Amino acid sequence: MSGPIDERDIGWVNEGQIGVEVRQGRTANIGGFEVVRVLPTKGRRTIGGWCFVDLMIPPDATDPDPLEIGPHPHIGLATVTWLFSGEALHSDSLGTEQVIRPGQLNLMSAGHGIAHAELSPEEGVQGAQMWIAQPEATRHGEPAFEHHGELPRVEWAQGEAMVLVGSFGEATSPARADTELVGLDMTLRSGPTEIELRPDFEYGVIPLDSSIKLDDAIVEPGWLGLVEAGPDRIRLDAGAGGGRLMLVGGEPLGERIQMWWNFVARSKEEITGAWEAWQARDTDRFGPVPSRLARIDAPPPPWLAGSD
Ligand code: MN
């Protein structure tokens, strides 16, 4: 799915607790489809390698928007598609045409360039669209696509988790990971639970359907609870009714990334190069996508706007 990325943000709340910050997501519109953008947020571009988290949860569930995102390019990132309801058809310039349903994972690594489209045959698709910044070692490499029809599940007394990426407890996802990271879809039963963290990871907790207490901080649905690296465990409490959340984490990236539109790079020059290739319909870099949807043109990067 497409960005675009800009610098707006509704704001953030520091709960006054060491290591945990809570930030509000904001509504964004992607090709007519309304989403809640959780990451990037003010002053925070990445959590581990995770650099983008959109929740596709239409605020008005009785009148949901259709999901129709025409062919658009990516570089330097992996897209992680995870649905809560409905289904979607992914098609890309590798020739892939793959339907995805809840419980399944699509992971597309862009490398130096890929283009794709997403279409939901029915209205009402809900899910999470997330990006992982690729490290220097793979971001110039070949594009690739993976579909995982089944993922490992971990269950304990107070909850269960699907392991999208990385490892949790004894379970490890089969999905490709270019950096040390984890992505979980966790359902909590009533009452508090403690989960183990890797002290070298930073984490984001994103409640989906109820507020969740993260140690002593309250995190609302669509908000981000940020846990800096350090602790080896954290307490989660979704209250009497339980609740569902996404948990993302990873080793701090250690590289400052440049993000604009659908591109993740390290410099404006790299992004300009990708923008020029897409606008020039350079099929060496971004091949044709098997999709009936209209191609999405890139706006000019702000550093080029008005220069001619
Ligand atoms: Mn996309």
Side-chain angles (χ1 to χ4, degrees):
M1 188 167 307
S2 58
I5 299 301
D6 61 35
E7 298 297 327
R8 283 182 308 127
D9 185 61
I10 288 172
W12 56 279
V13 180
N14 191 325
E15 294 290 308
Q17 179 190 11
I18 294 169
V20 176
E21 277 184 15
V22 178
R23 300 181 186 199
Q24 185 174 12
R26 62 185 170 80
T27 302
N29 196 292
I30 294 173
F33 195 83
E34 198 151 275
V35 299
V36 176
R37 181 146 306 150
V38 178
L39 191 74
T41 183
K42 186 172 182 171
R44 186 79 193 200
R45 283 166 185 258
T46 52
I47 298 171
W50 300 92
C51 61
F52 184 88
V53 177
D54 264 2
L55 298 179
M56 303 183 281
I57 301 177
D60 180 1
T62 60
D63 186 21
D65 296 321
L67 174 68
E68 291 189 349
I69 313 280
H72 62 276
H74 288 290
I75 65 166
L77 61 92
T79 62
V80 174
T81 305
W82 178 251
L83 298 186
F84 307 137
S85 67
E87 61 178 57
L89 172 66
H90 161 96
S91 49
D92 67 38
S93 52
L94 298 170
T96 309
E97 292 185 86
Q98 177 69 55
V99 172
I100 182 171
R101 297 185 176 89
Q104 304 178 337
L105 179 77
N106 278 358
L107 191 146
M108 182 183 79
S109 301
H112 68 80
I114 196 167
H116 76 139
E118 278 155 307
L119 171 67
S120 183
E122 301 164 4
E123 297 191 346
V125 66
Q126 298 192 3
Q129 178 70 43
M130 301 175 282
W131 296 352
I132 301 164
Q134 290 185 266
E136 197 58 35
T138 60
R139 72 186 188 92
H140 305 287
E142 291 302 311
F145 175 82
E146 291 177 7
H147 174 80
H148 297 282
E150 285 186 43
L151 292 169
R153 196 171 75 148
V154 177
E155 192 161 5
W156 67 104
Q158 295 96 357
E160 60 181 71
M162 296 283 284
V163 186
L164 282 59
V165 191
S167 296
F168 183 66
E170 299 295 307
T172 297
S173 167
R176 166 176 166 173
D178 294 357
T179 53
E180 288 282 317
L181 49 73
V182 67
L184 306 174
D185 179 335
M186 192 178 285
T187 299
L188 301 177
R189 304 195 180 99
S190 68
T193 186
E194 270 199 354
I195 61 164
E196 281 186 31
L197 303 181
R198 271 182 58 164
D200 57 332
F201 276 19
E202 51 195 10
Y203 290 90
V205 171
I206 304 156
L208 298 174
D209 57 4
S210 78
S211 63
I212 288 179
K213 208 168 163 195
L214 170 62
D215 277 352
D216 292 322
I218 304 289
V219 190
E220 302 291 344
W223 289 48
L224 171 68
L226 190 61
V227 183
E228 300 293 355
D232 63 359
R233 58 193 51 241
I234 197 149
R235 196 177 68 253
L236 297 171
D237 189 348
R244 188 173 178 183
L245 63 102
M246 300 297 298
L247 185 142
V248 296
E251 265 184 354
L253 197 59
E255 295 181 73
R256 182 164 173 86
I257 61 171
Q258 184 88 41
M259 286 177 72
W260 178 77
W261 200 48
N262 293 299
F263 305 135
V264 172
R266 301 296 181 273
S267 70
K268 289 177 178 170
E269 291 70 27
E270 287 180 350
I271 287 176
T272 300
W275 173 75
E276 287 173 343
W278 179 248
Q279 292 303 91
R281 299 172 186 246
D282 173 356
T283 51
D284 286 340
R285 186 153 191 191
F286 303 111
V289 178
S291 172
R292 65 169 175 80
L293 299 173
R295 176 187 187 277
I296 298 176
D297 271 332
W303 54 90
L304 296 183
S307 66
D308 49 26

